[in-house]
Amino acid sequence: MEKNPASYGGAYINDAGQVVLQLIEGDARLRPGRYSPGEIEALSDQIREASLTSDVTIEWRKYSRAHLKQVDIEISKLVRGQQVPELVTAHYIRDDINAVEVGVRKLTPAVEETFNKFGAAVRLVEMEPFREMSRTDDSSPFKGGIPLAMGSPAGSECTAGYAVGRNRVHYGVTAGHCGRRSRTAYHNARLIGDLIQRKDNDQYDSALIDARFAGRIWVGGRVTSTWITVKESASADPVGYSLCLSGTRTGEKCSARIVNSAPGCFTFQTSDGTTRERCNLHLAQRLGEVIVRPGDSGGPVYLRMQNGFLRIHGHIVGGYSRGGDRVLYQPVRITTAVQDVYVVLG
């Protein structure tokens, strides 16, 4: 579908656990029933990965994903240009409804007139504004280190890592296994987006959060209002480097020293309690102290530099010992290569 983005409407997992691939009505090159299940799986990495454990079905929709992204960009311009001052509280793409959902303080005729030009590509809902107060109550653009609930506000827990970009669109990084049961991510009981480009196999464990993230990381305890700007992306992981991690279940833990300079393969327990083997991981340890727990998966791994900024080294994938004193992380250079993105600096 990347070769024909005008035909791709999005993808999501419905309540029946099926992968739903959305194709665009009116495209003469596409016909209902034309594709076999194998051909559908080949349309995108996202569908192929999700369909390993789910059925695939097709929905025909009005708007392409590319069109919705353009609408979302236009709304961002309206907000930045203060054409709708203090009006919009949030906006994000909803694949399941084939529209950009826009949160506003109050629905009025004037508000509806402002967004009429977008037609059915926009759905307006009343929503209180996000407040940028702490790790547990962040606002868009989000910072790395925020808690994620997968599937529902009470779903399984993970952590957002750091911001990445492609073609000037920003995303967040987290662990790929966080989306094994559901790809929909919530923060502070608010839907913020889906996990896309999910890699969850024996080589890679990463995914992109389809929400706006900035080059900043929450640091400190489980409840913190302190963040630090990202200024560098690590090109190597030398043995002995002392790193920090900022998972939402454990909080910031530093003085974890890198054990291996080349990525290796390890067996470990993921945040959902299953045992997995993964390659392309580094091991860091701080013996005698718990530095990682279930729910920290996806969280940022970084170096606190002497100039007061951060250098991103990767994101948490799992713990390597029963005591939680060792952490396995996927290095940033592998994530950016396999996801075809760059690290967003602050």
Side-chain angles (χ1 to χ4, degrees):
M1 299 307 293
E2 293 180 356
K3 295 180 180 179
N4 187 18
S7 300
Y8 176 56
Y12 67 98
I13 299 177
N14 63 19
D15 293 338
Q18 294 176 312
V19 177
V20 179
L21 172 64
Q22 296 175 329
L23 302 178
I24 303 308
E25 298 171 351
D27 192 325
R29 292 165 293 187
L30 302 173
R31 294 286 186 273
R34 176 177 174 180
Y35 298 106
S36 68
E39 290 171 325
I40 292 171
E41 290 176 354
L43 290 176
S44 72
D45 287 341
Q46 178 178 319
I47 298 301
R48 182 170 64 252
E49 291 163 1
S51 65
L52 293 177
T53 57
S54 306
D55 295 328
V56 179
T57 186
I58 287 181
E59 284 183 353
W60 294 85
R61 293 298 183 114
K62 182 176 182 179
Y63 301 110
S64 69
R65 194 59 153 68
H67 177 75
L68 294 181
K69 285 191 174 183
Q70 187 57 45
V71 169
D72 194 51
I73 291 171
E74 290 299 318
I75 293 172
S76 295
K77 291 179 180 178
L78 287 176
V79 175
R80 289 196 301 268
Q82 297 185 345
Q83 296 181 43
V84 285
E86 299 184 356
L87 174 65
V88 175
T89 59
H91 57 96
Y92 37 77
I93 297 172
R94 287 276 305 274
D95 282 330
D96 57 333
I97 63 173
N98 193 226
V100 177
E101 189 165 82
V102 178
V104 296
R105 291 176 182 271
K106 188 175 182 179
L107 280 175
T108 65
V111 168
E112 293 176 348
E113 183 178 356
T114 300
F115 292 95
N116 275 344
K117 66 178 182 179
F118 298 112
V122 164
R123 186 176 81 167
L124 298 174
V125 295
E126 289 189 349
M127 182 184 296
E128 289 298 316
F130 291 103
R131 298 169 298 161
E132 185 177 311
M133 295 179 61
S134 70
R135 180 202 297 273
T136 57
D137 187 17
D138 202 359
S139 63
S140 178
F142 301 101
K143 302 171 188 64
I146 63 171
L148 302 175
M150 302 307 302
S152 72
S156 59
E157 297 180 359
C158 273
T159 304
Y162 51 91
V164 295
R166 184 194 303 121
N167 298 328
R168 299 184 180 181
V169 178
H170 292 181
Y171 307 92
V173 167
T174 191
H177 68 259
C178 291
R180 187 169 297 137
R181 295 180 181 176
S182 174
R183 296 188 302 111
T184 305
Y186 290 78
H187 169 67
N188 191 22
R190 303 280 192 178
L191 173 67
I192 67 170
D194 290 334
L195 301 193
I196 60 174
Q197 291 189 201
R198 193 168 67 89
K199 311 294 181 183
D200 182 20
N201 51 47
D202 60 353
Q203 295 297 313
Y204 308 111
D205 196 326
S206 63
L208 303 184
I209 308 165
D210 194 9
R212 288 197 304 147
F213 276 75
R216 299 169 179 175
I217 302 293
W218 288 110
V219 299
R222 295 183 61 185
V223 178
T224 178
S225 57
T226 302
W227 51 266
I228 298 180
T229 300
V230 176
K231 284 296 183 183
E232 293 184 15
S233 175
S235 58
D237 295 78
V239 170
Y241 260 43
S242 182
L243 302 180
C244 300
L245 35 151
S246 192
T248 55
R249 287 295 302 277
T250 310
E252 184 186 41
K253 294 293 181 178
C254 295
S255 301
R257 297 192 176 277
I258 298 175
V259 174
N260 59 316
S261 59
C265 301
F266 300 87
T267 300
F268 63 95
Q269 190 176 65
T270 65
S271 60
D272 61 5
T274 59
T275 299
R276 295 280 169 172
E277 183 178 57
R278 289 284 188 275
C279 295
N280 290 309
L281 300 179
H282 280 292
L283 169 65
Q285 64 182 24
R286 181 177 177 178
L287 296 178
E289 181 177 354
V290 175
I291 59 175
V292 63
R293 293 180 174 89
D296 292 336
S297 291
V301 179
Y302 51 88
L303 175 71
R304 281 198 181 222
M305 300 189 294
Q306 292 183 349
N307 60 8
F309 296 112
L310 300 184
R311 175 191 298 155
I312 289 295
H313 275 257
H315 68 273
I316 298 169
V317 168
Y320 190 55
S321 67
R322 294 178 61 185
D325 57 9
R326 301 180 183 183
V327 63
L328 293 165
Y329 67 94
Q330 182 169 299
V332 60
R333 62 188 180 278
I334 289 180
T335 300
T336 54
V338 73
Q339 302 285 9
D340 188 27
V341 292
Y342 55 85
V343 173
V344 173
L345 306 179

